[in-house]
Amino acid sequence: MKQTRSFQFFALFIALGLTSCVGVWKKNTSHNEKPSDAIPCKTAGPQTPRDIDSKIGTNKIVFPVAPIYSELNLCNIHFHVNAEHKGENFSLEAGAGDHGHGGGYKCTDTPSLTKEELKSPNGSICEGLKPGDTIEVHWVHSSCGDVQPGETLKSCLSEKCQKPSLRVEAQVFLVVNDPTALNFNDLSYDGNIVNGRHQAKAIPAGTGIPVEFLGSTTGEKYNNEQCSPLQVTWNVRPQCAKVDINSLGKWCEHNVFKEHHGHGARELVTDPSLLSEIK
């Protein structure tokens, strides 16, 4: 029984799409190697990421929309280098990348950044991050009542709760060297409890009405042939916001999620049969 439980945890941990070492995947996995939890896309539910400006989706698998994030427990915060999703305000192609690294999209305001905003910071920074980069941050929430925010998305389930409803609040940021830009530590966790639930201190507002849809987990190990089996409700904000790289550096120095660098981007899903309809 104990071995079975351990296997279930390991399987779902892999399925949730993140490990603590992105570089290990990049080094050891070929484009044609199938992730251990992946399923054929022809049998999969709706996938993520997508173009949030297109409402088209014909995937026939439907599941309940997860409750709003304030009724769930925050279980993980992480970020991807470049936007995984595509939208009017983050539509500059960053290139195909290598196993997801370097792929995705950049904020359309990137070319208009000033020399001051692009100046190299003096303090510590997140590994590999520089001013002018685009990142997509995911605040992951779980319906499990006994989870604690922590390292990787395995923190989103427990022995008593192995099939949670999952919701991801997503925001795309343009990274700048500017203390007047958003302070990422104001958007982190730091033990914040609201009405008995783990919650981020704040989630960005003022960046447009979030686009809600049914999808899956992301990450560079999936593609349009090998899909994620997980079911996730997404809420993606349609506008970029600027965030101070120095505040990100301080967060990467110490956070309960043990995040120190950005993760890779999954290839954009464009096949309507792999997408849900956006209502």
Side-chain angles (χ1 to χ4, degrees):
M1 181 69 171
K2 192 171 184 180
Q3 288 181 332
T4 301
R5 232 179 234 147
S6 298
F7 175 78
Q8 289 173 328
F9 270 99
F10 179 71
L12 188 48
F13 159 55
I14 292 175
L16 284 165
L18 288 176
T19 63
S20 60
C21 258
V22 175
V24 172
W25 179 268
K26 181 177 179 181
K27 182 177 180 181
N28 296 330
T29 306
S30 72
H31 284 287
N32 297 320
E33 185 175 342
K34 182 179 178 180
S36 61
D37 69 294
I39 59 176
C41 288
K42 62 183 180 181
T43 63
Q47 298 292 296
T48 309
R50 66 180 296 160
D51 183 339
I52 62 171
D53 293 330
S54 173
K55 296 185 177 182
I56 297 173
T58 60
N59 190 278
K60 299 186 184 305
I61 296 178
V62 179
F63 52 91
V65 172
I68 58 176
Y69 71 83
S70 60
E71 296 178 0
L72 302 170
N73 273 308
L74 176 75
C75 53
N76 183 263
I77 300 175
H78 63 271
F79 70 90
H80 296 258
V81 177
N82 298 323
E84 289 198 291
H85 289 88
K86 181 182 180 182
E88 180 181 358
N89 292 287
F90 32 94
S91 57
L92 298 180
E93 292 189 6
D98 179 15
H99 292 61
H101 300 269
Y105 297 87
K106 293 181 177 293
C107 293
T108 53
D109 287 341
T110 302
S112 63
L113 293 177
T114 67
K115 289 183 178 180
E116 286 297 310
E117 289 176 314
L118 292 171
K119 186 183 296 184
S120 296
N122 294 322
S124 62
I125 60 172
C126 302
E127 182 182 334
L129 206 62
K130 64 184 184 302
D133 283 343
T134 292
I135 61 173
E136 181 173 322
V137 178
H138 295 163
W139 289 263
V140 190
H141 298 79
S142 169
S143 61
C144 294
D146 58 345
V147 295
Q148 298 284 333
E151 184 179 1
T152 75
L153 300 188
K154 67 182 179 182
S155 300
C156 300
L157 68 154
S158 68
E159 286 196 16
K160 296 180 180 178
C161 179
Q162 296 193 21
K163 293 184 178 180
S165 292
L166 298 170
R167 172 179 284 273
V168 177
E169 299 292 324
Q171 171 68 55
V172 178
F173 290 100
L174 188 50
V175 179
V176 295
N177 187 356
D178 182 358
T180 67
L182 289 174
N183 185 326
F184 192 72
N185 291 287
D186 292 337
L187 307 172
S188 188
Y189 168 59
D190 291 341
N192 188 45
I193 303 291
V194 179
N195 296 325
R197 298 184 180 91
H198 302 285
Q199 296 284 296
K201 289 184 285 187
I203 290 181
T207 49
I209 299 173
V211 179
E212 185 178 78
F213 57 90
L214 301 181
S216 69
T217 50
T218 65
E220 68 275 13
K221 67 178 184 174
Y222 300 116
N223 54 42
N224 291 333
E225 295 179 356
Q226 301 162 9
C227 280
S228 166
L230 272 292
Q231 298 177 340
V232 181
T233 300
W234 284 83
N235 225 22
V236 182
R237 287 145 185 80
Q239 298 170 13
C240 289
K242 291 181 178 179
V243 64
D244 181 36
I245 192 170
N246 301 288
S247 66
L248 275 167
K250 291 179 179 177
W251 183 76
C252 280
E253 269 190 329
H254 177 71
N255 61 80
V256 71
F257 312 105
K258 297 185 179 179
E259 293 287 330
H260 310 295
H261 57 262
H263 298 270
R266 179 180 174 177
E267 179 184 359
L268 194 75
V269 181
T270 58
D271 183 346
S273 71
L274 296 177
L275 298 171
S276 63
E277 180 183 8
I278 296 178
K279 305 296 184 179

